[in-house]
Amino acid sequence: GDEAGDLSSSEDESAVDNEYYCFLNVPRTASDGQLSAAYKKLARLYHPDKHQDPGKREEAELLFTKLKRCYEVLSDPHKRAIYDCLGKQGLKEQGWAVVQRTKTPREIREEYEALARVREERRLQQRTSPVSRFNLTVNATDLFDRYLYDSEYDDLIDSQLPQFEVSKISIFSSIQAPLTPTDTATLSGNLQSSNGRGEGNFNVGYRRIKSESAWQECNMSLGNGLSLAAKVFRKLGPRIFGNMSGTLQFTDSGIQPGLSTCLETHLDKHTVGYLTYSTTMKMTETQDSLELEQEQSGMETMIVRNTPGYNFVGSVQLGIPYTYAMLSVTKKVPDTKKKMRLAVKAGTFGAILEYGVEEKITSYSTLGATMIVGFPVGVTVRMKLVRSSQSYTFPIHLSDEVILQPIFYGTVVPLLVWFSIKKLILEPQEARRMGKV
């Protein structure tokens, strides 16, 4: 066992440098007294105040800085153990503050390797920029729509428990694969199941950045037929940007071309204006020729203003078949991690009112709840958890009609549940973690 230990020590010693020991001119087995004596001796020699010549003084400053670094490491038993095992590279690794000073050299090496793996995983994640979204829609209309029935059905309704069902599930995930400093490939996929019918698609994209003011992107999607898309972005002026995209969707009923153009103008430091035109057409083959019919089109103007205190979005679209106006205000509550949002949207499809609150619960996580009330959508409460680049959304459809009961419970119950969890679980845990309890 001793021979194996000596061999391991010999291998470790040869695997790292002896630069700090050589600079102090002491052996690796030097005691604290030897290290201190060597430091004092060299400090008198390298101290910048000992030199009047500017060139020699500058060189002495560099040597004196290195001397302090060598002594700082070797005089600290913990840092010295890391240096003896891993050299200067081990001292650079983030996370050593969590390593206990009683660790053995072998344990320090294992800890270093674990931290290095975490760093590599984070580096890879930053390069691939993974994004994932999960959506689970629950139909809970049976809980409140019973209020819409006549009183003669009360006995029948009261004798049955409300029925809940999952009406829709969708999963989306994407990653980026940098090919060169200017070229990036994107892979994404989406699966969806709704009312007993499932579908999905797979998308491959490629983006090339020609300069700071221009890039191009092309995509191919397989799933519901073949779809091809291309997009071009260009900076037109100091504050003006433009992009244009085109799509070709191949379906059983024919080819569906699409076109979208957008002009973006930075009005001031906090305000951006957009002007967008989009159209979707359908190309069908007849006995004599090809017919191209416009399915939908619209011109939209939008103003976005984002300041430290609030976010404002206003937009108007004139088009076929949809014409609408939308206004959204998000208020950032001072000295808290909360945001409150109110949005109104009205048009040829009906009218919708949205209001909700969002709170940052950790450094990387945000939890929010939004009430959606309107015609013809009814009443829905949407819960959303965002964790870094992952988002989980849970819309719960409470009623097909706008009635008071689901609006009240959809507003009050999530707030009561959240405050209860926060006061009874999260805040005590945080207090214990900070050593306040």
Coordinates of all heavy atoms in Angstrom, one line a residue, residues 36 57 189 231 292 381:
S36 N 8.4 31.1 4.8 CA 8.4 32.5 5.3 C 9.8 33.1 5.2 O 9.9 34.3 4.8 CB 8.0 32.5 6.8 OG 8.0 33.8 7.3
R57 N 12.6 49.2 -11.8 CA 11.5 49.3 -10.9 C 10.3 48.6 -11.5 O 9.6 47.9 -10.7 CB 11.2 50.8 -10.6 CG 10.1 51.0 -9.6 CD 9.8 52.5 -9.5 NE 8.7 52.7 -8.5 CZ 8.9 52.9 -7.2 NH1 10.2 52.8 -6.7 NH2 7.9 53.1 -6.4
G189 N -37.7 20.4 -32.8 CA -38.8 19.4 -33.0 C -40.0 19.8 -32.1 O -39.9 20.4 -31.1
K231 N -35.3 33.7 -44.7 CA -35.4 35.0 -44.1 C -34.1 35.8 -44.3 O -33.0 35.3 -44.2 CB -35.7 34.8 -42.6 CG -35.9 36.1 -41.8 CD -36.1 35.9 -40.3 CE -37.4 35.3 -40.1 NZ -37.7 35.2 -38.6
L292 N -54.2 30.9 -57.8 CA -53.6 31.4 -56.6 C -54.6 32.3 -55.9 O -55.0 33.3 -56.4 CB -52.3 32.3 -56.9 CG -51.5 32.7 -55.7 CD1 -50.9 31.5 -55.0 CD2 -50.4 33.6 -56.2
V381 N -57.5 30.2 -16.8 CA -56.4 30.6 -16.0 C -55.1 29.9 -16.5 O -55.1 28.7 -16.7 CB -56.6 30.3 -14.5 CG1 -56.9 28.9 -14.2 CG2 -55.4 30.8 -13.7

